């Protein structure tokens, strides 16, 4: 066999006679994206080496040399001077090789009692734990923006919709708080997911654990994990924690996309409910009059990407036998892109939401037309003793009459209204006003001003400690 063709840089090349095809090197390399994990990889290696020394598995002085060498490498990577090599496949082998080149023999002891399989699982968990915390902080900013918007136009009444048809009047802060609730649930989901992310797989080694007398608890504790995985086969092949995160990110994007859709509709000339700040819009290269709502459109579009990543991961793990399979390397780009996409989307939406300006006159016009208080008229009749179904039918007829006369319910005369039911009196006009309508919805969770004031205060209190 031609020894010249053998490449000696690969840590695993002992049993190989021929060099790796260049084509394969390019195909299998992950270092161009998993280099993002360098801080986690180095932190994990340092603790692992320290543990090996504490357990008498490697000499103390080797652990010291490893620690120093890794610190230098970390600085070099941070400054952009480190040269990554595809030939060394991934972040783990690139760093290990650089360490050996720096400190020699001691560096070769680092990989005792571990495998890249438990190493990559640990790195990814450490990375995701940090990103979950960052995303959580960004969601908190978005929630604060919603509260600011709610507070700024506390008495504004807008049409509430079902089927995108005007339905009943609601308070602007009630509408903002609806999104606040969604993001509260998202943050709960993230915290729940974090519990399962923050478990240490190190010590599982390649798949079966190790015969060295390692101290897994020490490693876990030093790295801030709150426990250790219970089964080595599962630990090296479990990517549920990523799937859970992607699902949560998918739901966050769904919520952002709904908000985006609403802003896009609201910003249209047909609705004209809000003005989006110029700084968050772009123009058209051909139509001079255009001001396009690009931010919410992009957020809505990026939602598709995140859903796609969730589907990728579910599909990647679907047919995998235990334990580690190289397929799992495909998890990272999906995860990284999801993190980038969801964080950037939340951040920009937070900035946009604070700057929204409702066009109160236009909103008011729509809320006083379209029979938004028809249900109130039916409820009025019910309170005077009429069964709801009968009231519903009578009000339906009244609406028909209004349509033929081009009037809203509140614009009818008392005489005209009385013709539909003798139960109707002078007090009906208060009921048919939008303020009256909103004011009656005092049940918990309703849009009455008292309820909304309470809900807003509660939400603000929750956010004061953040
Ligand atoms: N780059 C690999 C990944 O991301 C690391 C683990 C490789 N393990 C192996 N036995 N080839 O999954």
């Amino acid at each position: 066999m031609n020894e010249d063709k053998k490449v000696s840089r690969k840590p695993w090349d002992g049993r190989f006679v021929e060099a790796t095809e260049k084509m394969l090197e390019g195909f299998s390399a992950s270092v161009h994206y998993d280099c993002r994990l360098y801080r986690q990889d180095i932190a994990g290696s340092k603790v692992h080496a320290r543990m090996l020394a504490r357990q008498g598995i490697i000499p103390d002085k080797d652990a010291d040399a490893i620690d120093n060498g890794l610190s230098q490498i970390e600085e070099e990577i941070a400054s952009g001077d480190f040269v990554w090599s595809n030939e060394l496949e991934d972040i783990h082998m690139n760093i290990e090789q650089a360490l050996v080149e720096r400190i020699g023999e001691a560096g070769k002891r680092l990989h005792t009692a571990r495998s890249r399989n438990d190493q990559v699982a640990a790195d990814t968990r450490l990375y995701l734990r940090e990103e979950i915390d960052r995303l959580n902080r960004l969601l908190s900013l978005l929630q604060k923006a919603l509260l600011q918007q709610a507070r700024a136009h506390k008495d504004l009444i807008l049409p509430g919709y079902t089927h995108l048809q005007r339905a009943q009047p609601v308070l602007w802060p009630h509408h903002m708080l609806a999104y606040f609730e969604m993001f509260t649930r998202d943050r709960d989901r993230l915290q729940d997911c974090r519990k399962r992310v923050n478990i240490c797989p190190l010590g599982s080694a390649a798949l079966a654990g190790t015969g060295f007398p390692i101290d897994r608890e020490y490693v876990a504790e030093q790295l801030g994990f709150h426990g250790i995985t219970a089964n080595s086969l599962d630990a090296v092949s479990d990517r549920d924690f990523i799937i859970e995160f992607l699902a949560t990110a998918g739901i966050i994007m769904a919520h952002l996309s709904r908000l985006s859709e609403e802003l896009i509709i609201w910003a249209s000339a047909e609705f004209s409910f809000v003005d989006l700040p110029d700084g968050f819009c772009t123009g058209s290269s051909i139509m001079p009059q255009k001001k396009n709502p690009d931010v919410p459109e992009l957020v809505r579009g990026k939602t598709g990407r995140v859903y796609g990543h969730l589907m990728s991961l579910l599909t990647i793990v679907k047919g995998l036998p235990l334990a580690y399979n190289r397929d799992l390397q495909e998890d990272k780009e999906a995860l990284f892109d999801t993190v980038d996409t969801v964080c950037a989307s939340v951040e920009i939406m937070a900035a946009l939401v604070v700057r929204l300006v409702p066009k109160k006159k236009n909103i008011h016009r729509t809320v006083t037309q379209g029979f938004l208080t028809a249900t109130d008229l039916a409820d009025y009749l019910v309170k005077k003793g009429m069964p709801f179904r009968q009231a519903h039918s009578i009000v339906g007829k009244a609406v028909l009459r209004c349509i033929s006369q081009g009037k809203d319910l509140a614009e009818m005369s008392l005489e005209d209204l009385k013709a539909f039911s003798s139960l109707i009196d002078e007090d009906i006009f208060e009921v048919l006003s939008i303020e009256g309508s909103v004011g009656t919805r005092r049940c918990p969770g309703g849009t009455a001003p008292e309820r909304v004031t309470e809900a807003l205060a509660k939400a603000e209190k929750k956010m004061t400690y953040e």
Side-chain angles (χ1 to χ4, degrees), residues 30 34 89-90 92 116-117 120 324 326 328-329 332:
S30 57
D34 63 20
E89 283 180 32
D90 55 25
H92 323 292
R116 279 185 293 157
N117 298 349
V120 72
Y324 179 85
R326 191 67 182 271
L328 292 173
Q329 178 170 295
K332 273 173 273 323

Side-chain angles (χ1 to χ4, degrees), residues 118 121-126 129 193-202 216 220 223-231 234-235 238 241:
D118 57 347
D123 291 2
T124 310
R125 285 170 182 270
L126 287 171
R129 182 179 77 187
C193 166
R194 193 188 194 280
K195 286 186 217 152
R196 282 173 292 278
V197 168
N198 200 23
I199 309 281
C200 188
L202 288 171
R216 292 192 62 197
L223 292 170
F225 284 114
H226 74 226
I228 60 172
T229 53
N231 180 296
D234 177 44
D238 164 25
F241 67 98

Side-chain angles (χ1 to χ4, degrees), residues 20-206:
T20 314
E21 291 288 342
K22 278 286 161 221
M23 203 194 284
L24 170 59
E25 273 179 0
F27 186 69
S28 72
S30 57
V31 67
H32 53 287
Y33 53 83
D34 63 20
C35 58
R36 191 190 274 231
L37 299 173
Y38 78 92
R39 282 188 297 107
Q40 292 79 8
D41 197 71
I42 287 174
S45 290
K46 283 184 169 186
V47 172
H48 178 70
R50 190 60 56 202
M51 178 277 291
L52 291 177
R54 277 167 55 102
Q55 299 299 105
I57 302 168
I58 66 169
D60 279 334
K61 66 168 183 18
D62 284 0
D64 293 341
I66 289 171
D67 206 282
N68 275 330
L70 287 173
S71 294
Q72 284 169 27
I73 293 170
E74 187 166 10
E75 268 171 39
E76 206 174 297
I77 298 173
S79 68
D81 294 338
F82 192 88
V83 183
W84 301 103
S85 151
N86 259 3
E87 200 188 317
L88 292 166
E89 283 180 32
D90 55 25
I91 173 82
H92 323 292
M93 295 205 321
N94 268 268
I95 291 181
E96 190 184 329
Q97 186 63 32
L99 184 68
V100 172
E101 277 162 21
R102 263 187 186 69
I103 66 168
E105 190 80 0
K108 294 187 184 170
R109 296 193 203 282
L110 171 61
H111 213 53
T112 313
R114 80 169 182 185
S115 149
R116 279 185 293 157
N117 298 349
D118 57 347
Q119 194 180 349
V120 72
D123 291 2
T124 310
R125 285 170 182 270
L126 287 171
Y127 161 81
L128 186 51
R129 182 179 77 187
E130 236 175 78
E131 295 297 359
I132 285 176
D133 293 344
R134 180 162 74 98
L135 178 53
N136 186 44
R137 286 193 298 274
L138 291 169
L139 284 168
S140 153
L141 283 184
L142 175 56
Q143 287 189 301
K144 285 179 180 162
L146 289 162
L147 294 185
Q148 209 172 308
Q149 202 38 261
R151 177 67 66 192
H153 310 286
K154 228 175 142 266
D155 305 318
L156 177 61
I157 297 177
L158 77 159
Y161 293 83
T162 62
H163 314 270
L164 200 57
Q165 305 286 324
R166 280 175 227 167
Q168 290 171 356
V170 293
L171 282 174
W172 173 268
H174 197 54
H175 199 109
M176 295 298 135
L177 284 167
Y179 284 101
F180 181 90
E181 287 297 314
M182 294 179 218
F183 296 120
T184 300
R185 292 195 297 276
D186 290 337
R187 294 179 66 192
D188 283 352
R189 264 184 283 272
L190 276 180
Q191 287 316 310
D192 199 51
C193 166
R194 193 188 194 280
K195 286 186 217 152
R196 282 173 292 278
V197 168
N198 200 23
I199 309 281
C200 188
L202 288 171
S204 304

